[in-house]
Amino acid sequence: MWNELKQDISYSKFYLKEFLIFSALIITLITFLIGNFDKILITSLIVFSINFLSIIYLSRKRRNELAEIEKIITNIRNNFYEVADEIILSENLSSLEKAIKLMFEKSKNDIEYMRKLQRVRSEFIANVSHELRTPIFAIQGYIETLLNGAINDPKVNVNFLEKAVHHTNNLSNLLNDLINISMIESGEMQMSFRYFELAPYLNSVVEELKYLAEEKNISLNCQPIREGLQVFGDKERLKQVLNNLIQNAIKYTEKGGVEISVEEEKKFVTIKVKDTGIGIPEDQISRIFERFYRVDKARSRAVGGTGLGLSIVKHILEAHNSKVEVKSTLGVGSEFSFKLKK
């Protein structure tokens, strides 16, 4: 009891200035109203006593409130609370309670977000390590075999060199894609937006990739596009998008073909890449734009690819305020489409 009183008196010194001013005002007012200056000493003692007791009471109340707040903050720091509703302050601190709850929720979300980023980073490093290891070990194996004598064997030497070159190209593509996606996600990739005519642009992309379709004896066609139709975007980055979508369509199509078409709307143009390939399971469509995600890992590596292409496509189109729409049926084919501003 005595210790608490001493703490209250010690804490009340913060209100000393206010205490003296308020007491002086009260004494002056009472003296003026009564008009009896003979009793000013008694009046002063009474006023001082009442004000002192009031300050002691207020000091104790404020000290208890601060102790309550300190306890809550300590509990938060020690991860005592699971949810914000467990944080409870006295009624007169309700506004502060709401503020602390909001702060707690934000801190909790920030921590969870950082943990998620850490998991994504760890997964990304693991995936990159695995993807790099595969071509490097393959190249190393072929070169060691050649050095151990196979270089003098005309039956295998050229074949081994061709396979080493193939894996070298895969490694180069992977590194280029890693650089691209790093630049996109960090905001370092410069975009050059302008209007350009769509028909000659799409036809040139198709012509450049036609040899891939011919190697598999499938068709690659671009439907007629209205002359003079212009769209707004970065030609080089959009070429990356189209190259990736068309190459993927060719890779996973064994018969039939790939068709590129354009649908014109009032303010937008929809570009579609449709194939008659193997299709994508419906439950995996939402994941195909994740980095290194492959629907069929064994087949994907057999036909080539880094596992980053569709992720790059997604980021480039998001920079164009667009997104990729996917329709696919197993055994029938897939259709990838996106919109561009006219």
Side-chain angles (χ1 to χ4, degrees):
M1 179 67 179
W2 175 243
N3 288 333
E4 287 188 6
L5 184 59
K6 284 199 299 184
Q7 289 179 5
D8 293 336
I9 294 172
S10 176
Y11 193 81
S12 65
K13 67 184 180 181
F14 296 108
Y15 302 102
L16 181 60
K17 182 179 178 182
E18 290 80 0
F19 165 70
L20 293 174
I21 293 172
F22 183 70
S23 297
L25 287 173
I26 293 295
I27 292 168
T28 303
L29 182 61
I30 291 174
T31 304
F32 179 77
L33 291 175
I34 295 175
N36 188 346
F37 293 94
D38 296 334
K39 297 182 178 180
I40 189 170
L41 181 60
I42 297 174
T43 303
S44 299
L45 288 173
I46 293 172
V47 170
F48 272 110
S49 299
I50 292 172
N51 284 347
F52 179 72
L53 291 174
S54 298
I55 286 178
I56 292 294
Y57 170 75
L58 292 173
S59 297
R60 173 171 293 187
K61 186 177 179 182
R62 182 57 60 189
R63 185 167 58 82
N64 290 338
E65 288 174 346
L66 290 174
E68 189 178 359
I69 295 168
E70 184 181 0
K71 181 181 177 182
I72 291 291
I73 293 173
T74 301
N75 287 341
I76 291 173
R77 189 169 60 246
N78 293 331
N79 298 318
F80 183 79
Y81 303 115
E82 293 291 332
V83 294
D85 290 337
E86 293 178 356
I87 298 172
I88 300 173
L89 290 172
S90 53
E91 188 175 350
N92 56 322
L93 295 173
S94 58
S95 60
L96 181 60
E97 179 185 310
K98 291 178 183 178
I100 291 175
K101 284 182 176 180
L102 290 173
M103 181 190 69
F104 174 80
E105 287 288 354
K106 185 180 184 304
S107 298
K108 188 176 180 182
N109 291 336
D110 288 346
I111 291 170
E112 183 57 35
Y113 179 68
M114 292 301 294
R115 287 174 178 168
K116 183 179 179 181
L117 284 181
Q118 183 61 37
R119 287 196 299 271
V120 170
R121 178 176 175 273
S122 298
E123 290 173 5
F124 180 70
I125 291 173
N127 285 326
V128 169
S129 300
H130 178 75
E131 296 297 331
L132 288 172
R133 190 184 302 118
T134 302
I136 289 173
F137 281 3
I139 294 167
Q140 183 181 12
Y142 288 125
I143 292 175
E144 286 180 353
T145 304
L146 289 168
L147 290 174
N148 288 334
I151 195 169
N152 299 315
D153 186 348
K155 294 180 180 179
V156 298
N157 54 11
V158 174
N159 183 37
F160 280 12
L161 286 171
E162 287 175 346
K163 288 181 177 179
V165 168
H166 172 73
H167 285 289
T168 302
N169 290 334
N170 288 344
L171 183 60
S172 175
N173 292 334
L174 174 60
L175 292 174
N176 287 333
D177 282 352
L178 284 171
I179 292 169
N180 282 332
I181 202 165
S182 175
M183 291 178 66
I184 291 170
E185 292 184 348
S186 65
E188 295 178 6
M189 179 171 281
Q190 298 296 319
M191 307 289 282
S192 178
F193 293 96
R194 65 190 67 187
Y195 281 98
F196 60 91
E197 194 169 344
L198 187 58
Y201 177 74
L202 278 182
N203 286 326
S204 67
V205 172
V206 170
E207 285 301 315
E208 287 179 12
L209 298 175
K210 214 152 196 175
Y211 77 95
L212 294 174
E214 291 172 352
E215 288 177 355
K216 297 187 69 175
N217 293 318
I218 61 175
S219 63
L220 173 60
N221 299 308
C222 182
Q223 293 297 311
I225 303 168
R226 178 174 67 83
E227 288 188 17
L229 176 60
Q230 291 195 335
V231 293
F232 186 73
D234 184 318
K235 291 178 70 174
E236 289 303 315
R237 300 306 171 197
L238 289 173
K239 188 174 182 180
Q240 278 184 268
V241 169
L242 289 165
N243 281 342
N244 190 281
L245 295 179
I246 295 171
Q247 287 177 19
N248 279 354
I250 294 171
K251 285 175 186 176
Y252 297 104
T253 299
E254 298 302 328
K255 60 181 180 178
V258 179
E259 181 182 271
I260 290 83
S261 61
V262 170
E263 285 186 5
E264 191 173 352
E265 302 173 31
K266 187 175 181 180
K267 294 183 178 181
F268 296 94
V269 167
T270 301
I271 300 174
K272 297 182 178 181
V273 178
K274 187 176 182 180
D275 64 59
T276 57
I278 60 175
I280 305 167
E282 186 176 353
D283 61 339
Q284 298 190 47
I285 288 177
S286 62
R287 298 199 61 193
I288 59 175
F289 297 99
E290 295 177 14
R291 293 178 295 189
F292 296 113
Y293 185 79
R294 292 181 171 94
V295 176
D296 184 342
K297 293 180 173 58
R299 181 181 175 85
S300 295
R301 288 198 174 90
V303 298
T306 64
L308 292 170
L310 286 178
S311 181
I312 292 173
V313 165
K314 174 176 174 287
H315 284 295
I316 291 175
L317 290 178
E318 283 177 351
H320 285 75
N321 294 319
S322 183
K323 64 178 182 178
V324 193
E325 300 287 347
V326 185
K327 298 177 183 177
S328 188
T329 303
L330 277 175
V332 177
S334 304
E335 179 184 281
F336 287 74
S337 63
F338 59 92
K339 294 180 184 293
L340 291 177
K341 181 183 174 183
K342 288 175 66 175

